[in-house]
Amino acid sequence: MKIEVRGLRKQFGSVQAVSDVSFEVKEGELLGLLGPSGSGKTTVLRLIAGLETPSGGDIYIDGKRVNDLSVQDRNIGFVFQHYALFKHLTVFENIAFGLKIKKWQPADITQRVAELLQLMSLDSLEHRYPHQLSGGQRQRVAIARSLAPRPSVLLLDEPFGAVDAKVRQELREWLIRLHDRLNVTSLFVTHDQEEAMEVSGRIIVFSKGKLEQIGSPAEVYEEPATEFVARFIGAMNILEGTVLNGVVKIGSLEFPAPTIPDQVQLQVGFRPYYVKISEEPTRYRQTATLRHIYFLGVAYRLEIETAEGLILRSRMNKEEFRQYRFEVGQPVSFAVTQFRFLPQEGISFPSSALPQLLDAGPLTP
Amino acid sequence: MIRRLFIGSVWLYFALLLVGPILYLAVHSFDEGIAAFWNEVTRPDALHGFLLTIEITAIVLVLNLIFGTITALVLVRQHFIGRTILSGVIDLPFSVSPVIAGFMLILLFGPETILGTFFGTLGVKVLFAMPAMVLATLFATFPFVVRELTPLLQTIGTDAEEAARTLGANEWQVFLKVTLPMLRWGFVYGATLTVARAIGEFGAVLVVSGNILLVTQTATLHIYQSYVDFNYVGANAVALQDAQQDRLAIREA
């Protein structure tokens, strides 16, 4: 069942938590709502669930407007960050709770709970109480409980926020498999961009109650629609400059902008792995000083500073790194091989005017 | 060595303050034999005292559980002007001497006051009767249930209740199946303290009851009366029963 949200707004006192948000979760999709804490993503989830009342806008589940339906009648499954299990009930009773409320026959309840226990790999834990379970097990019970009454959509609020890193990774993979198997339309909230990229088919990026971008993980990463998305998803070098005679000049760096009128202020963004560095001073056109080397496990991050004081981040894999003999403090040459202009609020120009890719200097001496 | 010293001093402290007096009470209740003890405990005025105490305790317990729960829920869940003031006032009975509390009731319901005249014309006797004794005991015990439930409600939060709603439970089902069961230990502790205090309440009850034999004399007042009348076996015997009731209440909990 698909979820559709149109012009959704929510105001808490004088705070605009959600402003004019519209999007659609397709049938059977697993969609991630990504944003920093306080960006309004949890509020959106709670509005869809019916745990909050919207200040404006419409919510449709399976094509039916549900604004006036109470949370009890929306037939949604909701998974809370801190599990929200019933501490006084066993695993079995927790999962059976919704079924009892909906007056299922005892035999059907037993069968459905057994089914879910198996699906969630919780067999043999049915008589335990929540305090006797690990964090990962608790969250699986919470998911089982929400799925038991066969909800039309599943809403998950930071489902893996309260468990440690290793269990979080396991739960993510497990959620993907579960979703592949059940195909229930799911919307999940996270502040972890890696998690959103890994788990969801599509991502909605949120900031300050507004929808910034919606797209596949590759789209939001490669083609960030706004400065916020560029900064939030992955690392990006972002510099500011003004167009003059078809060029944005920032220090000694020059970024061609032939189609953009003069005096327009722009932000130039480039991913760290598009910054090539060499210890040979003449290999690339630009020069800088190597300030820091960070070992990241699978790769290295290098920080360089230009003569004008611009700090740029570069990234290279281990094999690449071993070809050089880098030392902190040494002079290096560098080039930016790809960049893009970031759209800014209040400034608009046709997207065809944006040079998407461009070489910024020779790659060979 | 120091550890033993600490453990030893705790034992000594307990022995002097708790075990000693209770043992003494138990032993001296039988100074004139078991028959005398039995006579004292089953005297009509003693029996009447016990019954009255149980009645008052039961009424107070029920009222405290109901209004204590409502008060705690309102204090934790609702945000309104004067909430902090209300929260502070709840502890007031702890800082007011019971005798003064009783005296306040006398002033409030005395024959010359508005309330006193009002109930007088209705033919309801408040002072020197059951209503005032229940009110006095309520005053002294009100904080117990509230004070047990508020921290519990704060830690529990509202997540589980919201989860129940998403699973289709209506407000009444949420309250009965989620909120109340999660508060059960708070009820147990609150009830225990309420019962213990209600049985033992003396000062406020003495002032408002008038201590009328076979009418408003509770078990605790009976002990006091016997003591004043130099009937030490009677005082001890009833006190022992009284202590027993307290202990039972605590053990049941």
Side-chain angles (χ1 to χ4, degrees):
Chain A
M1 319 262 160
K2 67 175 189 181
I3 306 171
E4 205 184 331
V5 160
R6 275 189 223 149
L8 195 62
R9 285 189 296 111
K10 177 65 184 177
Q11 196 137 5
F12 291 112
S14 60
V15 183
Q16 189 78 32
V18 176
S19 32
D20 198 23
V21 166
S22 304
F23 63 87
E24 193 187 301
V25 190
K26 294 175 196 148
E27 168 111 42
E29 188 178 24
L30 176 56
L31 189 126
L33 267 180
L34 174 66
S37 49
S39 59
K41 54 195 190 311
T42 295
T43 309
V44 169
L45 205 68
R46 293 173 60 85
L47 286 165
I48 294 173
L51 291 168
E52 304 279 354
T53 319
S55 311
D58 296 308
I59 301 162
Y60 299 84
I61 296 177
D62 197 26
K64 206 174 112 206
R65 188 171 176 276
V66 295
N67 284 47
D68 303 321
L69 275 188
S70 70
V71 51
Q72 286 88 354
D73 298 327
R74 287 195 195 184
N75 193 28
I76 47 103
F78 201 100
V79 178
F80 293 80
Q81 178 176 7
H82 297 288
Y83 327 121
L85 292 176
F86 306 127
K87 295 182 182 71
H88 59 289
L89 300 179
T90 62
V91 168
F92 183 98
E93 291 164 330
N94 263 282
I95 300 174
F97 188 92
L99 306 178
K100 278 190 190 150
I101 294 283
K102 296 196 162 89
K103 303 214 158 51
W104 282 36
Q105 293 302 314
D108 296 340
I109 293 179
T110 315
Q111 200 200 334
R112 178 72 178 146
V113 174
E115 216 175 284
L116 283 158
L117 284 169
Q118 208 213 343
L119 185 69
M120 304 286 149
S121 333
L122 289 165
D123 329 63
S124 79
L125 297 177
E126 58 190 282
H127 298 303
R128 299 248 185 115
Y129 283 91
H131 68 90
Q132 298 166 311
L133 303 174
S134 71
Q137 288 168 339
R138 281 181 212 181
Q139 197 54 294
R140 295 211 302 271
V141 174
I143 295 173
R145 181 181 67 180
S146 68
L147 287 174
R150 304 189 197 279
S152 49
V153 296
L154 183 62
L155 308 170
L156 305 104
D157 184 14
E158 300 263 4
F160 314 132
V163 291
D164 61 57
K166 192 174 166 292
V167 179
R168 190 153 60 226
Q169 183 58 36
E170 284 169 16
L171 280 174
R172 275 184 206 169
E173 290 163 15
W174 180 84
L175 178 67
I176 297 168
R177 282 202 302 275
L178 181 78
H179 182 261
D180 284 347
R181 210 165 139 182
L182 299 179
N183 244 329
V184 56
T185 307
S186 311
L187 183 60
F188 89 101
V189 159
T190 178
H191 64 267
D192 183 339
Q193 45 127 335
E194 241 179 79
E195 184 166 291
M197 302 271 244
E198 186 177 336
V199 177
S200 17
R202 286 194 307 154
I203 295 176
I204 293 180
V205 186
F206 250 85
S207 162
K208 294 181 187 144
K210 288 203 188 79
L211 193 153
E212 296 273 332
Q213 188 171 5
I214 178 162
S216 71
E219 276 163 10
V220 294
Y221 188 79
E222 296 294 346
E223 294 160 40
T226 64
E227 181 202 347
F228 175 82
V229 178
R231 283 184 192 274
F232 194 67
I233 312 272
M236 193 174 251
N237 292 294
I238 294 175
L239 305 174
E240 270 181 53
T242 312
V243 182
L244 197 66
N245 301 324
V247 176
V248 181
K249 207 162 178 301
I250 303 162
S252 58
L253 291 165
E254 286 182 3
F255 301 94
T259 50
I260 302 171
D262 279 4
Q263 299 307 322
V264 171
Q265 277 212 335
L266 282 177
Q267 283 185 321
V268 184
F270 43 97
R271 299 278 178 206
Y273 50 76
Y274 292 134
V275 179
K276 300 292 175 201
I277 305 183
S278 169
E279 80 248 40
E280 291 169 44
T282 54
R283 171 91 186 267
Y284 299 116
R285 194 158 72 186
Q286 310 290 339
T287 56
T289 311
L290 184 57
R291 286 290 178 223
H292 288 287
I293 299 173
Y294 301 94
F295 177 55
L296 305 175
V298 290
Y300 283 87
R301 192 171 87 210
L302 289 81
E303 223 170 74
I304 56 173
E305 189 179 348
T306 66
E308 303 87 29
L310 288 176
I311 307 263
L312 300 177
R313 282 177 295 176
S314 170
R315 195 181 156 111
M316 56 179 74
N317 62 34
K318 277 191 235 175
E319 289 68 35
E320 213 181 332
F321 184 82
R322 282 199 204 99
Q323 291 168 12
Y324 303 98
R325 239 176 259 108
F326 285 126
E327 263 174 59
V328 171
Q330 82 183 149
V332 292
S333 66
F334 76 94
V336 177
T337 59
Q338 276 191 24
F339 69 91
R340 49 184 291 118
F341 294 118
L342 302 173
Q344 265 180 288
E345 258 181 84
I347 301 174
S348 62
F349 34 72
S351 59
S352 60
L354 296 178
Q356 298 292 315
L357 308 168
L358 214 106
D359 273 339
L363 286 174
T364 44
Chain B
M1 185 61 210
I2 289 178
R3 196 174 137 257
R4 281 190 188 173
L5 203 71
F6 269 111
I7 296 173
S9 59
V10 169
W11 271 113
L12 193 69
Y13 192 72
F14 265 70
L16 281 176
L17 271 164
L18 296 176
V19 185
I22 292 171
L23 265 180
Y24 187 87
L25 177 71
V27 169
H28 287 274
S29 295
F30 301 99
D31 270 358
E32 290 166 29
I34 293 171
F37 171 83
W38 187 247
N39 272 340
E40 284 301 334
V41 173
T42 52
R43 270 170 54 171
D45 47 345
L47 281 178
H48 180 268
F50 285 135
L51 271 177
L52 188 60
T53 297
I54 290 168
E55 264 174 66
I56 293 173
T57 305
I59 296 171
V60 164
L61 181 63
V62 170
L63 289 175
N64 262 342
L65 285 176
I66 295 171
F67 290 103
T69 309
I70 296 172
T71 309
L73 278 169
V74 167
L75 278 181
V76 175
R77 301 271 171 89
Q78 308 298 322
H79 292 265
F80 54 93
I81 298 164
R83 192 172 65 124
T84 33
I85 297 172
L86 199 63
S87 174
V89 169
I90 285 170
D91 287 330
L92 197 69
F94 285 148
S95 54
V96 173
S97 154
V99 176
I100 293 170
F103 190 57
M104 290 191 304
L105 286 178
I106 298 266
L107 290 179
L108 197 60
F109 292 99
E112 268 99 61
T113 66
I114 299 165
L115 277 174
T117 336
F118 173 72
F119 284 109
T121 50
L122 283 181
V124 177
K125 203 166 170 332
V126 179
L127 286 179
F128 312 116
M130 193 74 154
M133 295 167 79
V134 168
L135 280 176
T137 315
L138 266 181
F139 183 87
T141 56
F142 179 69
F144 291 120
V145 174
V146 181
R147 277 290 165 251
E148 287 297 329
L149 294 187
T150 32
L152 210 57
L153 277 168
Q154 271 155 356
T155 34
I156 288 169
T158 51
D159 272 10
E161 293 172 7
E162 288 191 332
R165 280 184 205 117
T166 65
L167 291 165
N170 61 36
E171 290 311 308
W172 189 237
Q173 287 170 320
V174 169
F175 185 69
L176 286 184
K177 293 182 186 229
V178 179
T179 317
L180 282 187
M182 291 209 298
L183 292 174
R184 63 193 188 283
W185 287 110
F187 285 121
V188 168
Y189 294 132
T192 310
L193 292 170
T194 302
V195 167
R197 180 67 195 265
I199 291 172
E201 179 51 41
F202 172 72
V205 173
L206 177 69
V207 174
V208 298
S209 69
N211 191 16
I212 308 162
L213 192 67
L214 288 170
V215 182
T216 62
Q217 194 179 71
T218 65
T220 305
L221 292 182
H222 178 80
I223 296 163
Y224 166 74
Q225 197 58 53
S226 305
Y227 167 75
V228 173
D229 299 343
F230 303 105
N231 174 3
Y232 291 131
V233 173
N236 280 346
V238 178
L240 187 66
Q241 286 292 319
D242 220 13
Q244 188 85 5
Q245 276 182 352
D246 266 0
R247 206 175 54 89
L248 279 176
I250 288 165
R251 218 186 37 198
E252 260 169 52

